[in-house]
Amino acid sequence: MFCFNMTWKTISLCLCVYGVLKEFRPSESYFIPYLLSPRMNFTEEQVNNEILTIGVYASMIFIILVSLTTDWLRYKIVIVIQAFCGVCIYALLSFLTSFTSIIVVQILYGMFVATEVAYFTYTYSVVNIKYYQKVTSYIRAAHLLGRFFSGFFSQVFISTKLFDIYQLNFLTLGSLTAALIWTMTLPAVKKRSENDSTIQKLNLGERISGTNIEDRDNDSIENDTEHSKMSWKYFKTMCKEYKSLYILKWSFWVITATCCFNQVLFYIQSLWESLSHDECLENSTICTKTSEWNGAVDAVYTIISTFITFLCGSINMNMDKYSNLLIIVTSLVQFVTLYLSVVYNSIYISYINYIIFCTIYQGMMTIASSEIAKCVNKDNHGFVFGVNNLLASTLQSLATFFMTMGGLSLSSKILFEWYAVFCLIIGVFYLFLSILQVVKK
């Protein structure tokens, strides 16, 4: 295939093409309305309490496996598995309607989400560290560009009645089939030489001052020896990446922010359906219980996020100095957007706030991913990013469990009040951390 034996730019382009194809899922903008439609005939309570929760728990379980095997399998095969799961998901949605089939869909979706780590870490193993920030922005922008086309075309098709919600599944299935075929063009990632490992450690230098560099060099040599087998020693070696306080700080934000973002993504359509229904009742009109502009909102948020992501790829800021302030401000803004979505009880205000919330997350994730990648051994990217995803998924599963047990998931509005408070807690935590750092100085 033509992507083999090419420069890092060409390989990155190949991965970006895959990112666009796998994210072109027009039916996803109307997934909840589809489940509530006469064809599927599920209730809102079933969707919130029995269906969506399976996807949350499944992703947590699969992320454990993915975290331990992505580096070992050298990324490509994990990407192929992701594409294959995507094809299976929408084949089931297109042809089956039973509750059992939807449960299988959610389990496969958990695998699909878990394997996303391979997409975001693949290029870190084939490019020089000095390009990490740019590469991160490219692959995240491709991810968002695919979602933009997905939202844009789904909105056009639904508004013009060219396709209905059910028929969108076939478009998604076609795109994911193309993505599966495209994964074959990606070159296999070779194991890095010991020489490259030493060079990276010298480049990192003071950024990881919390860890002794000589020890990390020895760890790298040990890691090369143990890399061919999964062992406790291998696991301990990779865990030493977290000795860096800088990595810990950004990882903690990634874990908490991703947990909140994923919960918002899982339940936002339920909130929109609820707000749409309430507005119909207030206006004394016939209520279709369908939020009509989901696709347009996804398109707007992703195209704005794409530009922000590109911008973050070239931003020149002293992150050692301003990272805490950046996290505090963005967390507080996200708190306001989620809280106002519930307070004003308007689907259109919720649309706007959702766009702001997601755009902030995507921009911050670009910065956080590149900062973490710069400080991590190239052979351990899949592990570190996988562990962060695992912890985010575990936190999400715990939140889902307790909210379901407490009956909070019966109301989407109550859920979003708690998500808003969670963002506020993140901001307050980093404010406290900043105050501690100032006091210690």
Side-chain angles (χ1 to χ4, degrees):
M1 290 289 186
F2 64 87
C3 284
F4 285 89
N5 300 320
M6 293 293 179
T7 65
W8 68 268
K9 290 183 180 180
T10 307
I11 295 173
S12 297
L13 177 62
C14 288
L15 191 66
C16 286
V17 171
Y18 169 70
V20 172
L21 289 173
K22 78 177 176 65
E23 290 304 317
F24 185 75
R25 306 194 295 272
S27 58
E28 195 162 285
S29 295
Y30 297 94
F31 179 64
I32 300 301
Y34 176 63
L35 293 183
L36 298 176
S37 69
R39 174 178 169 80
M40 302 305 291
N41 202 31
F42 294 113
T43 66
E44 184 178 352
E45 184 177 344
Q46 279 181 301
V47 171
N48 286 350
N49 287 349
E50 300 176 30
I51 296 175
L52 295 182
T53 53
I54 295 297
V56 175
Y57 299 142
S59 65
M60 180 189 70
I61 294 170
F62 285 126
I63 284 175
I64 297 174
L65 299 175
V66 172
S67 301
L68 294 174
T69 58
T70 299
D71 294 307
W72 185 47
L73 295 173
R74 311 312 293 156
Y75 310 99
K76 178 178 176 177
I77 190 172
V78 182
I79 292 176
V80 173
I81 291 171
Q82 180 186 43
F84 180 73
C85 286
V87 171
C88 293
I89 287 169
Y90 286 93
L92 289 171
L93 282 175
S94 299
F95 299 110
L96 300 178
T97 60
S98 66
F99 181 78
T100 302
S101 68
I102 295 301
I103 295 302
V104 174
V105 163
Q106 286 298 298
I107 292 172
L108 289 173
Y109 187 74
M111 172 65 88
F112 187 85
V113 170
T115 48
E116 187 80 339
V117 67
Y119 170 74
F120 287 113
T121 58
Y122 175 93
T123 50
Y124 295 143
S125 293
V126 295
V127 307
N128 190 288
I129 188 175
K130 65 182 178 181
Y131 299 118
Y132 278 6
Q133 192 166 347
K134 287 184 178 295
V135 166
T136 303
S137 70
Y138 293 160
I139 60 177
R140 295 199 73 85
H143 170 91
L144 292 168
L145 196 60
R147 293 190 67 86
F148 163 73
F149 287 126
S150 175
F152 175 79
F153 283 106
S154 67
Q155 186 63 61
V156 170
F157 294 146
I158 292 298
S159 297
T160 60
K161 301 189 186 314
L162 191 61
F163 292 96
D164 59 27
I165 296 175
Y166 167 63
Q167 291 168 333
L168 289 178
N169 287 323
F170 293 97
L171 288 178
T172 304
L173 180 59
S175 178
L176 287 167
T177 301
L180 177 60
I181 296 171
W182 185 262
T183 58
M184 305 306 170
T185 70
L186 296 175
V189 178
K190 297 179 180 178
K191 187 165 66 174
R192 198 165 48 95
S193 67
E194 181 180 325
N195 235 6
D196 293 334
S197 177
T198 303
I199 290 172
Q200 187 192 10
K201 293 309 168 189
L202 290 175
N203 288 337
L204 292 180
E206 296 179 0
R207 291 297 295 276
I208 51 174
S209 56
T211 307
N212 185 281
I213 295 178
E214 183 180 350
D215 288 345
R216 288 173 65 94
D217 283 335
N218 292 333
D219 292 340
S220 179
I221 296 171
E222 181 180 325
N223 181 53
D224 287 340
T225 303
E226 298 291 334
H227 198 272
S228 61
K229 59 181 181 179
M230 301 305 295
S231 66
W232 174 245
K233 196 172 186 179
Y234 169 63
F235 178 76
K236 283 176 61 181
T237 299
M238 293 202 291
C239 281
K240 288 181 182 179
E241 296 289 354
Y242 286 98
K243 282 187 177 181
S244 167
L245 293 178
Y246 193 74
I247 293 177
L248 276 177
K249 179 176 74 173
W250 277 111
S251 291
F252 182 79
W253 179 85
V254 168
I255 292 164
T256 52
T258 299
C259 167
C260 187
F261 177 74
N262 287 341
Q263 285 293 84
V264 169
L265 283 191
F266 265 82
Y267 291 97
I268 190 64
Q269 290 184 29
S270 292
L271 176 65
W272 290 341
E273 286 293 290
S274 176
L275 294 174
S276 177
H277 179 61
D278 289 349
E279 287 188 0
C280 285
L281 292 178
E282 290 175 5
N283 295 328
S284 300
T285 58
I286 298 175
C287 185
T288 61
K289 291 198 70 178
T290 300
S291 36
E292 298 178 351
W293 297 98
N294 294 9
V297 172
D298 281 338
V300 171
Y301 124 63
T302 49
I303 197 62
I304 294 175
S305 296
T306 301
F307 286 117
I308 294 295
T309 298
F310 268 122
L311 180 64
C312 290
S314 56
I315 194 171
N316 188 14
M317 181 186 292
N318 186 344
M319 288 300 166
D320 287 330
K321 186 175 182 180
Y322 296 110
S323 57
N324 285 351
L325 178 62
L326 191 62
I327 292 173
I328 291 167
V329 172
T330 53
S331 296
L332 292 179
V333 174
Q334 287 184 312
F335 157 72
V336 172
T337 59
L338 292 180
Y339 189 70
L340 291 181
S341 294
V342 179
V343 169
Y344 280 97
N345 203 38
S346 166
I347 189 171
Y348 299 105
I349 291 178
S350 179
Y351 279 154
I352 294 170
N353 286 326
Y354 173 74
I355 291 170
I356 297 172
F357 174 87
C358 292
T359 301
I360 289 174
Y361 172 80
Q362 296 295 349
M364 285 295 291
M365 273 300 292
T366 302
I367 295 172
S369 297
S370 63
E371 290 300 304
I372 293 172
K374 290 174 185 176
C375 300
V376 174
N377 186 314
K378 274 195 173 185
D379 282 333
N380 294 342
H381 281 129
F383 176 80
V384 172
F385 283 87
V387 166
N388 287 348
N389 281 349
L390 169 62
L391 293 176
S393 184
T394 302
L395 185 59
Q396 184 184 357
S397 296
L398 289 173
T400 300
F401 175 77
F402 286 115
M403 287 181 173
T404 301
M405 293 298 292
L408 300 179
S409 59
L410 295 176
S411 170
S412 300
K413 296 176 184 178
I414 295 177
L415 281 177
F416 275 79
E417 287 178 357
W418 281 100
Y419 298 156
V421 171
F422 189 71
C423 288
L424 179 63
I425 292 173
I426 295 173
V428 170
F429 173 81
Y430 278 91
L431 176 62
F432 179 71
L433 187 64
S434 299
I435 294 173
L436 278 181
Q437 290 177 344
V438 171
V439 170
K440 285 185 179 180
K441 290 181 180 179

